[in-house]
Amino acid sequence: MTNSPIQIPVPLSRQPYEVIIQEGGLNNIGKELLKAGIQKGIKVLVVSNEDVAEPYSKICLNSLSSSGYDPNLITVEAGEQNKNLSTISIIHNAAYSAKIERGSLFIALGGGVVGDMTGFAASTWLRGIDVVQIPTTLLAMVDAAIGGKTGVNHSGGKNLIGAFHQPRLVLIDPSTLTTLPRREFIAGMAEVIKYGIIEDLELFNYLEKIQLYNETSSMQLDQSQIYKILERSVKTKAKIVTADEKEKGIRAILNYGHTFGHVIETLCGYGTWLHGEAVAMGMVAVGELSVIRGDWTKEEANRQKKLIQKTGLPYKWPKLDRDKVLDTLQGDKKVKDGNIRFIIPKKIGLVELQDTVSTEEIKYCLELLN
Ligand code: GLY
């Protein structure tokens, strides 16, 4: 059974765009660009990484050429450890060589790291050119590719350098998930679970019932289950980004689990844990913090932990020096007026922003987690 395409609008006032979920959609990327009003004939720089370019770049480039675009491909190293300004320079150099102009386009074909870097390179090349996101990992499909957050890591913290730069279009082709390694698929599920906790109780209940892989490690989910996961997650993301494009308020709830998660990524070394894995451990940690504060029930925190564990995600807090954890928390973007901002779960499907968490509560939480 083939599901029909789903179009989910992101109706931002300055630059509205669509997220299209379409099995085999990569074959039609050229036509989709034309439909989105992107001028025929322009130069397009497709940025990808070897593992993704090998199976998918030809399909993408052929579709672009057939629709009258002039595409070039560059591959960069993916992985959080390469999400830095040196890789941005490599993309800028490729843009220079390909004579990318103001009216040209960048396309990100890959996971969250490729998407974040391509978006950032596009936001800075010639003071900003258009970008289209074609996410090929579950994590990028449900989160990173939508909403215009772009950037790179700094040695002091995750994503400290970046810009908001909304894409012209996001095209999700679920068939690209067939080549995604199991560990990466599972890591992407952390962001799906996140949507369950912050907004979507029904999705959370659904995730508790489904089985991702069978005993022989083969994907157990069928196409309609994958569509359901994608559609519900994208709808929540689109709704929140539309309400608060630049994270002045409500959008911060999308960072649920990320405050502690970013600490894990920074202190364990970028690339040790996949982003989604760090978020999973971060969600368990902030669940514990919420229980300590009396904001959440132990039962619901356990339900979250059980779902994370069942999904195959790590849930135990890694061994980390407590003072370094506190220092890194202070350096995160989520610090406001010196207070660390946490997204605290109140019940499954409802969270709130909290700037009042005390250092004592954090220390106590870390003691319990260790
Ligand atoms: N990934 C969090 C956000 O887009 O705001």
Side-chain angles (χ1 to χ4, degrees):
M1 185 188 83
T2 304
N3 285 287
S4 33
I6 297 170
Q7 280 151 294
I8 300 165
V10 186
L12 294 168
S13 48
R14 210 172 43 84
Q15 186 174 326
Y17 59 96
E18 271 186 347
V19 181
I20 300 172
I21 306 174
Q22 185 182 14
E23 189 74 17
L26 191 56
N27 295 284
N28 301 326
I29 180 63
K31 287 191 192 132
E32 293 299 341
L33 295 190
L34 292 173
K35 272 200 240 160
I38 297 172
Q39 207 194 332
K40 203 178 184 150
I42 60 165
K43 289 183 196 300
V44 179
L45 183 65
V46 178
V47 183
S48 193
N49 57 297
E50 282 299 336
D51 289 350
V52 173
E54 218 270 305
Y56 301 120
S57 63
K58 252 198 198 124
I59 302 170
C60 179
L61 295 175
N62 285 344
S63 173
L64 290 168
S65 304
S66 312
S67 294
Y69 293 100
D70 176 11
N72 270 282
L73 172 74
I74 178 191
T75 57
V76 293
E77 297 282 336
E80 286 291 337
Q81 64 279 24
N82 298 302
K83 201 172 113 176
N84 53 39
L85 291 173
S86 311
T87 312
I88 296 298
S89 284
I90 294 171
I91 301 173
H92 283 158
N93 289 342
Y96 182 77
S97 303
K99 299 192 168 46
I100 295 292
E101 305 163 359
R102 274 254 165 85
S104 306
L105 175 76
F106 279 12
I107 291 182
L109 176 67
V113 170
V114 165
D116 282 6
M117 291 198 294
T118 307
F120 185 59
S123 78
T124 43
W125 186 248
L126 305 177
R127 298 204 174 91
I129 70 163
D130 284 342
V131 65
V132 163
Q133 297 279 350
I134 309 180
T136 59
T137 63
L138 180 62
L139 187 131
M141 289 176 183
V142 297
D143 186 28
I146 307 157
K149 275 191 182 175
T150 73
V152 293
N153 299 326
H154 180 267
S155 57
K158 271 274 290 183
N159 298 333
L160 291 186
I161 306 163
F164 283 100
H165 191 61
Q166 297 293 341
R168 288 286 303 269
L169 173 75
V170 181
L171 179 86
I172 296 174
D173 180 348
S175 71
T176 59
L177 292 173
T178 53
T179 49
L180 187 67
R182 177 189 152 115
R183 182 179 170 196
E184 292 227 24
F185 186 88
I186 289 174
M189 286 301 295
E191 300 282 2
V192 179
I193 295 172
K194 175 189 84 176
Y195 291 119
I197 298 283
I198 65 172
E199 174 85 13
D200 193 346
L201 171 63
E202 198 191 311
L203 175 64
F204 189 94
N205 291 336
Y206 178 72
L207 296 176
E208 285 184 318
K209 286 191 213 104
I210 58 171
Q211 182 79 26
L212 303 187
Y213 290 90
N214 63 22
E215 312 77 59
T216 58
S217 286
S218 303
M219 173 59 78
Q220 175 99 354
L221 294 177
D222 62 27
Q223 207 188 63
S224 66
Q225 289 174 312
I226 290 182
Y227 260 64
K228 181 171 170 121
I229 287 171
L230 290 172
E231 184 178 3
R232 286 197 86 99
S233 302
V234 171
K235 279 190 169 154
T236 299
K237 175 92 195 218
K239 183 175 117 185
I240 295 172
V241 165
T242 304
D244 177 20
E245 182 185 355
K246 298 267 172 83
E247 201 170 303
K248 302 268 186 257
I250 183 76
R251 181 169 179 165
I253 69 169
L254 292 170
N255 299 324
Y256 175 61
H258 287 57
T259 310
F260 279 128
H262 284 177
V263 169
I264 294 173
E265 286 182 88
T266 305
L267 291 182
C268 294
Y270 297 127
T272 304
W273 295 102
L274 296 175
H275 174 65
E277 293 170 339
V279 168
M281 293 182 269
M283 291 195 289
V284 174
V286 78
E288 188 70 50
L289 184 65
S290 190
V291 172
I292 290 168
R293 287 168 51 87
D295 286 327
W296 206 19
T297 62
K298 188 85 195 146
E299 291 69 39
E300 286 212 336
N302 279 341
R303 255 181 92 187
Q304 172 184 252
K305 199 195 304 189
K306 266 176 80 180
L307 177 57
I308 287 173
Q309 191 176 1
K310 177 193 112 152
T311 304
L313 286 157
Y315 58 96
K316 288 198 181 112
W317 185 254
K319 286 256 163 290
L320 292 172
D321 180 85
R322 199 185 64 178
D323 292 337
K324 283 194 184 147
V325 171
L326 291 170
D327 273 1
T328 311
L329 280 171
Q330 281 295 346
D332 199 72
K333 293 186 295 318
K334 294 160 207 80
V335 171
K336 196 163 179 287
D337 304 328
N339 294 318
I340 301 160
R341 169 169 282 189
F342 285 95
I343 321 310
I344 294 286
K346 305 287 284 183
K347 55 184 187 182
I348 295 172
L350 182 72
V351 290
E352 76 177 14
L353 300 179
Q354 264 303 347
D355 295 332
T356 62
V357 178
S358 68
T359 309
E360 279 59 47
E361 284 169 331
I362 300 171
K363 281 184 181 163
Y364 183 54
C365 176
L366 292 171
E367 235 167 72
L368 291 186
L369 291 170
N370 270 314

